[in-house]
Amino acid sequence: MKAAVLKSFGSPLAIEDVPDPVLGTGEVIVDVVATRVLSYSKEVFSGERKYALDLPAVPGAGGVGRVRAIGPDSTKLSVGDWVLCDPTVRSRDDAIAPDIHLQGVSSRGEGGMRLQKYFHDGSFAQRMRVPTENVTRLGEISEEEATQWCALGTLLVPYGGFLAAKLQPGETVLVSGATGNFGSAAVAVALAMGAACVVAPGRNEKMLAELVRRHGARVRPVKLTGNENDDRELMKRAAAGPIDCAFDIMPPSVSTTVVRAAIMTVRSNGRIVLMGGVNMQGGPGLELPYNWIMRECITIHGVWMYPPDAAVRLIALVRAGLLRLDHFETTSFDLDHANEAVDYAAANAGAFNMTVIKP
């Protein structure tokens, strides 16, 4: 089969023939129809992000495709089913604290690296092998629709954060990083889950206005000034009432003062979700006042990805019409032009943009 292979950090992807994946028990082979290109893929492939990726490897974070082969432990899947492939591979021998490997992207710790040795290759290929539990049926879709359904991979990330914080209908949410790719997805997910109001701070006034245009008056935009205390007060005043949950998904390049200004807007007994990149590439960590956390009874959730059943729940929100995939504007490339797709994704990394490879 044809695949895009990253042979060394800093080198272009090599488009070449590689062996077909071999099916084992507890696994599924999927014909990849469409896979999104992460906006920061270029930083990963160059080595800038220093991700734990054992090379050479076929990169690519999950995707949408059709089942080609199933193992003996599959009882619901059938060959030909349209499915979403979740890249979050978990070890099966510790249900409480599993090791995690993001297939085709990176790993966490020694256990994650051991997982990567087996579930090594990602979705920049005509076929991929994934654990059975990482395949979720989508129902009937067309090949053209497969591109749009790739947006689930982006939407699942903030959805996992809001599930951890137990977001309730009618609550007020603040999304720190709302004008970015994952942040704008977080705005859409919070509204789909029933948030009464989403405070959306940012410096890009055009994109803030676009959030309001797409989602309506439940989005409350805030133009940031760069002054931590002033910005905190502006965000509080923009909310319809006390802010119940503050969600951060800022990239590594953002100052910790910007993040702190946003997340310290939460009310007493409020919740904070941290899913961003603060301190990922060195520099100061996020400093929060101990007394404020303690006296205000603040709950802080550090969240990496999402629980195993999140895809089923999110698909149900889409099927119910509560979450729209057409907010994403997609640009597609074939596998032979994977390097161009990576460059395009990096140059068009903003809100509502999605770059897709169709192997």
Side-chain angles (χ1 to χ4, degrees):
M1 68 172 185
K2 185 188 294 185
V5 182
L6 181 65
K7 296 188 174 182
S8 62
F9 291 114
S11 66
L13 296 171
I15 314 303
E16 58 188 37
D17 288 329
V18 301
D20 281 3
V22 178
L23 182 70
T25 301
E27 299 164 8
V28 176
I29 303 295
V30 175
D31 289 324
V32 181
V33 175
T35 175
R36 70 196 170 109
V37 181
L38 297 172
S39 59
Y40 53 85
S41 291
K42 192 170 185 177
E43 297 175 21
V44 176
F45 300 163
S46 71
E48 180 182 348
R49 286 215 173 196
K50 297 180 174 59
Y51 275 17
L53 188 58
D54 184 35
L55 301 182
V58 176
V64 172
R66 305 195 80 165
V67 173
R68 184 179 185 86
I70 56 176
D73 57 344
S74 292
T75 61
K76 302 293 176 64
L77 288 171
S78 298
V79 172
D81 281 348
W82 281 101
V83 292
L84 173 74
C85 299
D86 176 6
T88 314
V89 178
R90 299 170 175 84
S91 58
R92 293 164 170 163
D93 51 359
D94 188 342
I96 295 175
D99 288 305
I100 292 179
H101 159 52
L102 297 185
Q103 190 172 359
V105 183
S106 183
S107 295
R108 185 180 69 186
E110 181 182 350
M113 290 300 293
R114 288 173 61 188
L115 280 175
Q116 184 179 167
K117 292 290 184 183
Y118 187 71
F119 290 106
H120 187 249
D121 293 325
S123 54
F124 287 11
Q126 292 177 317
R127 287 176 284 283
M128 66 182 300
R129 180 187 55 173
V130 295
T132 304
E133 64 271 24
N134 285 53
V135 172
T136 304
R137 289 180 298 171
L138 292 171
E140 284 303 313
I141 64 171
S142 67
E143 187 166 333
E144 291 72 24
E145 291 172 321
T147 300
Q148 203 73 62
W149 280 93
C150 285
L152 288 176
T154 300
L155 294 161
L156 272 166
V157 174
Y159 186 54
F162 290 131
L163 287 177
K166 295 181 171 60
L167 180 63
Q168 299 298 308
E171 289 193 316
T172 294
V173 174
L174 182 143
V175 174
S176 175
T179 58
N181 192 255
F182 282 100
S184 59
V187 173
V189 169
L191 293 171
M193 294 176 72
C197 169
V198 177
V199 178
R203 297 186 180 183
N204 187 332
E205 291 185 271
K206 181 180 179 181
M207 193 53 64
L208 290 173
E210 184 64 15
L211 283 169
V212 175
R213 188 189 72 80
R214 290 177 183 241
H215 297 295
R218 289 162 68 197
V219 176
R220 305 292 177 87
V222 177
K223 175 69 165 64
L224 296 176
T225 68
N227 181 284
E228 182 176 350
N229 292 328
D230 291 347
D231 286 340
R232 185 178 297 116
E233 291 307 311
L234 286 171
M235 287 182 272
K236 286 182 176 180
R237 287 201 295 268
I243 295 172
D244 301 290
C245 177
F247 174 94
D248 177 77
I249 197 156
M250 284 289 198
S253 58
V254 172
S255 167
T256 57
T257 59
V258 176
V259 175
R260 184 169 57 235
I263 64 179
M264 286 187 66
T265 59
V266 293
R267 61 167 172 82
S268 295
N269 296 292
R271 294 102 70 202
I272 293 170
V273 179
L274 303 179
M275 296 193 81
V278 167
N279 197 229
M280 182 182 292
Q281 296 175 342
L286 179 63
E287 295 182 3
L288 294 174
Y290 184 108
N291 284 339
W292 173 75
I293 297 170
M294 181 268 292
R295 292 182 185 277
E296 301 299 329
C297 301
I298 304 299
T299 301
I300 301 175
H301 298 272
V303 185
W304 194 37
M305 304 306 282
Y306 36 83
D309 64 343
V312 176
R313 296 169 182 261
L314 193 68
I315 291 167
L317 286 178
V318 175
R319 290 297 188 189
L322 297 169
L323 185 60
R324 291 170 51 185
L325 301 180
D326 60 3
H327 282 302
F328 287 85
E329 297 167 5
T330 61
T331 302
S332 300
F333 294 81
D334 60 27
L335 192 56
D336 287 332
H337 294 88
N339 286 297
E340 289 89 335
V342 171
D343 288 339
Y344 186 88
N348 297 272
F352 315 119
N353 290 332
M354 183 169 61
T355 304
V356 170
I357 290 175
K358 302 183 74 171

